[in-house]
Amino acid sequence: MAADIGAAEGNQRYRSGVIPYKKMGYWDPDYEPRGTDVIALFRVTPQKGVDPEEAAAAVAGESSTATWTVVWTDRLTACEVYRAKAYRVDQVPNTEDQYFTYIAYDLDLFEPGSIANLTASIIGNVFGFKAIRALRLEDMRIPVAYLKTFQGPATGIVVERERLDKFGRPLLGATTKPKLGLSGRNYGRVVYEALKGGLDFVKDDENINSQPFMHWRDRFLFCMEAVNKASAATGEVKGHYLNVTAGTMDHMIERAEFAKDLGSIIVMIDLVVGYTAIQTMAKWARDNDMILHLHRAGNSTYSRQKNHGMNFRVICKWMRMAGVDHLHAGTVVGKLEGDPHMTAGFYDVLRESYVPQNLEHGIFFDQEWASLNKVMPVASGGIHAGQMHQLLHYLGEDVVMQFGGGTIGHPMGIQAGATANRVALEAMVLARNEGRDIMAEGPDILKQAAKGCKPLQSALDTWKDVTFNYESTDTADFVPVETPSM
Amino acid sequence: MRITQGTFSFLPDLTDEQIKKQVKYCIDRGWAVNIEYTDDPHPRNTYWEMWDLPMFDLKDPAGVMLEINACREACPNHYIRVSGFDATRGWETVRLSFIVNRPPHEPGFRLERTEVKGRHIRYGVQPYATDKPEGER
């Protein structure tokens, strides 16, 4: 077998100097991945003239045990086991120089329960490697044996709903606007109006931490006054995601503890705090009965372009393992990047117990989630009440829909904006459950609901058919093709 | 005031015809329909009184409607809610829950603020409806 693929053996393999990665044993087309292997799928763009299999072997090598030259100290280890194996290379459909490369890693290459350790290998040095022009991590298959070393979402969709006593419909939220500049007192006003009007949550934006115009304690105190007052006014559990993102881990914990002392049910952090900080906060959240919201600030710097970086679906997987309860995952119809098929894939990764391979949705592997809690996806950015039928159709009911501008920008005020969204939502869920075709009848259902709700009528008039129809950059490589009938 | 717990509280009170369709939706998904009532609408009052057991084996929405109406007759001044319980693995929880009866007058809640230290306030929400002892409401 070894002779067929050109891997060197014995003293040939360990003679000092430089030999191709393929010959070092990082390419093995006959390798059958084991159930306990971590599998990564990369999109590799080799430098001109570099053989795709050699490029694949190089990626396997650099993301596991290899260095640029032969080292005899490999022979002090069970090196065949520790070497990652590139075992399959497929040309990407409709491209000339890109290759989907499947690489299997033995479980013992990774520290249990550490996203930092997993990522240091998989997206570490290898992304700067000269022999490849561009590299993108498209998907991963995480074995159950490894998943079971992670806590998973602190609360999960099921328990979050039970704590909130809210079932059968998407949750509603909004981000306080303007995102920067409000004083604590004025900020709390927006929170109170939106919650009293009918939203379940209001949210700090990703970059509201502790600035000269509003220090964090001031924000927390005024927001909790708003949350409790709105709860008393409606008889519902309400929440505000208090952003505890800070410069050091100690400060984050200090802020989270204060939020807990004030009776908040939820805190939030930004993706930019890093994987270890996220896992630390997830453990804190589990220990303190807190829901943990994650804003995906920063992800588009590496997830948006197709040939380099990583796909957002991998972030979804890592974040479910790391243990967050909420993650922004796209709206399909809003202002931010999001192809409907790709977005469906992200939502499946976050919410399902088992996700089968689905190339149209960008899902390359069957993934068993081994009873890790479900993450609530968050749809936020440029959405409004007039799109309610599309939102419910594409995103389902286990999602937080966040209407920031669509609430606060309402011509009749913030409470009215919130009421418009809530009425539109409940009317649409009612109609869907009655078996009506909401994609076809949606605008009509909204029009009927607006007859008894002036704020909804006003929202529909204001935003009419506002959509953001730009082409997505991150789209599926596989599209269904009709087979001609014979 | 009008408490807005439940899936459809922002809509006008559902008609029996509308309720029946939602019940059918639950039954079609294999969920057990459950009827509960209370006179304590506190947002964290999880355990409303059960009007008998969840109807695991009842497959006819009309049968559920009979139970809802019997409950309404017995408890006209209570909140009554209908929920659908999904026993599927990974869920094992309520999937839909909506109010089908309200007391004629909903007095709402008192927000109690206790100053603790500094600017820290401890909040409590108290339903006016539970000011009297349980047997005397």
Side-chain angles (χ1 to χ4, degrees):
Chain A
M1 183 190 79
D4 296 336
I5 57 163
E9 289 190 329
N11 60 2
Q12 292 296 314
R13 166 67 177 80
Y14 292 102
R15 189 181 297 158
S16 294
V18 178
I19 63 172
Y21 286 89
K22 266 174 93 170
K23 284 205 184 302
M24 287 199 233
Y26 296 103
W27 168 249
D28 184 353
D30 296 325
Y31 183 72
E32 300 236 348
R34 291 154 28 117
T36 53
D37 284 350
V38 170
I39 306 175
L41 174 78
F42 292 95
R43 177 195 302 262
V44 180
T45 312
Q47 292 287 9
K48 285 217 162 33
V50 175
D51 163 42
E53 290 176 4
E54 173 62 11
V59 171
E62 289 297 318
S63 60
S64 60
T65 57
T67 187
W68 60 278
T69 185
V70 171
V71 292
W72 66 268
T73 40
D74 267 351
R75 304 187 89 172
L76 303 176
T77 71
C79 53
E80 280 87 7
V81 173
Y82 296 132
R83 274 182 204 127
K85 284 113 188 148
Y87 63 92
R88 181 174 160 189
V89 170
D90 301 334
Q91 187 153 14
V92 177
N94 307 312
T95 70
E96 284 179 359
D97 58 350
Q98 299 181 11
Y99 299 87
F100 284 136
T101 299
Y102 293 74
I103 300 175
Y105 301 82
D106 188 86
L107 187 55
D108 278 357
L109 289 168
F110 307 106
E111 177 176 342
S114 171
I115 298 287
N117 178 259
L118 174 71
T119 54
S121 282
I122 305 290
I123 55 167
N125 283 355
V126 63
F127 274 70
F129 196 47
K130 278 183 177 169
I132 47 178
R133 200 138 49 90
L135 183 63
R136 192 184 199 217
L137 178 59
E138 291 287 345
D139 200 2
M140 289 186 78
R141 195 283 303 267
I142 312 291
V144 167
Y146 195 45
L147 280 182
K148 280 293 188 187
T149 67
F150 287 85
Q151 170 193 286
T155 314
I157 290 177
V158 169
V159 175
E160 173 170 353
R161 284 191 175 283
E162 289 181 348
R163 282 193 200 157
L164 299 173
D165 189 37
K166 295 172 195 286
F167 306 98
R169 64 166 172 85
L171 302 175
L172 284 179
T175 308
T176 313
K177 304 282 174 183
K179 56 208 271 182
L180 297 172
L182 290 169
S183 68
R185 188 173 190 272
N186 294 332
Y187 196 93
R189 163 63 72 184
V190 178
V191 175
Y192 171 64
E193 298 290 328
L195 292 177
K196 189 181 178 200
L199 302 192
D200 304 300
F201 290 124
V202 181
K203 170 181 177 296
D204 284 345
D205 224 331
E206 76 282 8
N207 51 2
I208 197 89
N209 298 148
S210 193
Q211 283 113 321
F213 49 81
M214 175 170 62
H215 290 105
W216 68 275
R217 291 177 69 94
D218 224 27
R219 180 170 82 257
F220 285 23
L221 286 161
F222 278 115
C223 284
M224 290 317 295
E225 168 72 19
V227 165
N228 285 290
K229 199 168 153 61
S231 190
T234 58
E236 286 185 80
V237 179
K238 301 278 186 184
H240 177 84
Y241 318 159
L242 293 165
N243 189 348
V244 301
T245 298
T248 68
M249 210 53 239
D250 290 345
H251 285 97
M252 289 190 14
I253 295 288
E254 181 193 1
R255 293 177 192 188
E257 288 287 344
F258 189 60
K260 182 185 75 174
D261 286 349
L262 293 176
S264 183
I265 57 168
I266 185 163
V267 293
M268 76 170 267
I269 50 175
D270 295 331
L271 183 59
V272 290
V273 301
Y275 303 130
T276 297
I278 291 169
Q279 279 194 269
T280 304
M281 289 309 299
K283 182 172 184 311
W284 180 91
R286 173 73 63 89
D287 291 346
N288 290 280
D289 314 316
M290 195 69 88
I291 300 166
L292 182 62
H293 178 98
L294 181 71
H295 186 116
R296 58 171 166 170
N299 88 91
S300 289
T301 49
Y302 47 79
S303 70
R304 196 170 177 197
Q305 299 304 324
K306 257 183 118 163
N307 69 338
H308 192 81
M310 60 190 293
N311 193 287
F312 185 67
R313 78 181 63 90
V314 181
I315 294 287
C316 291
K317 288 191 176 174
W318 293 349
M319 291 304 103
R320 187 165 178 181
M321 294 157 73
V324 306
D325 291 313
H326 287 187
L327 176 60
H328 292 240
T331 62
V332 179
V333 295
K335 70 177 178 183
L336 302 177
E337 169 76 28
D339 171 78
H341 290 105
M342 297 289 100
T343 306
F346 306 154
Y347 275 60
D348 284 350
V349 165
L350 295 173
R351 293 190 299 205
E352 299 300 321
S353 305
Y354 174 78
V355 185
Q357 184 194 57
N358 183 337
L359 296 179
E360 274 179 70
H361 290 183
I363 305 290
F364 287 83
F365 304 103
D366 296 343
Q367 178 69 56
E368 164 62 53
W369 277 102
S371 301
L372 255 69
N373 283 342
K374 307 170 201 295
V375 179
M376 185 83 84
V378 177
S380 182
I383 56 177
H384 56 85
Q387 299 163 322
M388 199 56 83
H389 50 297
Q390 297 166 307
L391 291 165
L392 187 61
H393 170 81
Y394 284 119
L395 310 178
E397 67 184 35
D398 288 302
V399 56
V400 186
M401 295 179 182
Q402 296 197 162
F403 302 86
T407 299
I408 297 156
H410 194 283
M412 293 163 65
I414 301 170
Q415 274 193 39
T419 304
N421 290 321
R422 180 80 174 264
V423 170
L425 177 71
E426 293 190 359
M428 203 56 66
V429 171
L430 186 84
R432 181 200 63 177
N433 294 1
E434 287 177 354
R436 295 174 68 181
D437 177 359
I438 57 169
M439 278 305 260
E441 301 176 51
D444 218 46
I445 293 163
L446 292 173
K447 216 156 74 183
Q448 287 301 320
K451 281 188 183 158
C453 177
K454 210 184 245 176
L456 178 55
Q457 187 58 56
S458 168
L460 297 177
D461 292 342
T462 304
W463 291 297
K464 287 194 185 74
D465 310 316
V466 174
T467 51
F468 300 86
N469 285 327
Y470 300 103
E471 207 168 304
S472 292
T473 51
D474 184 27
T475 49
D477 293 287
F478 299 91
V479 286
V481 181
E482 278 183 56
T483 317
S485 51
M486 304 299 278
Chain B
M1 65 89 73
R2 176 184 171 88
I3 70 161
T4 46
Q5 298 171 20
T7 313
F8 304 119
S9 282
F10 270 73
L11 303 178
D13 287 342
L14 302 190
T15 63
D16 281 9
E17 203 46 46
Q18 287 175 310
I19 292 167
K20 202 170 163 185
K21 285 179 179 167
Q22 297 301 315
V23 167
K24 181 174 185 305
Y25 175 79
C26 294
I27 290 174
D28 287 349
R29 269 150 198 78
W31 303 343
V33 179
N34 193 20
I35 300 169
E36 296 162 288
Y37 61 96
T38 191
D39 60 0
D40 173 9
H42 191 283
R44 289 193 166 84
N45 176 17
T46 304
Y47 305 113
W48 292 21
E49 301 303 324
M50 291 167 69
W51 181 260
D52 218 333
L53 298 181
M55 291 168 263
F56 294 104
D57 304 311
L58 187 54
K59 301 296 174 211
D60 181 6
V64 175
M65 293 311 294
L66 286 177
E67 291 295 329
I68 290 173
N69 284 322
C71 185
R72 279 172 171 162
E73 222 161 279
C75 316
N77 296 322
H78 284 60
Y79 292 95
I80 303 176
R81 73 183 174 198
V82 169
S83 57
F85 187 92
D86 180 3
T88 310
R89 180 160 179 243
W91 288 105
E92 290 144 307
T93 187
V94 174
R95 298 299 292 277
L96 182 68
S97 171
F98 56 98
I99 292 176
V100 296
N101 198 71
R102 293 169 183 272
H105 173 61
E106 298 183 73
F109 303 86
R110 179 173 52 244
L111 179 64
E112 285 175 350
R113 297 182 182 83
T114 311
E115 277 131 321
V116 188
K117 59 176 180 178
R119 288 187 52 219
H120 193 151
I121 295 171
R122 199 164 293 289
Y123 296 94
V125 169
Q126 294 305 327
Y128 292 111
T130 56
D131 279 352
K132 286 187 197 157
E134 195 168 355
E136 299 169 23
R137 289 173 208 159

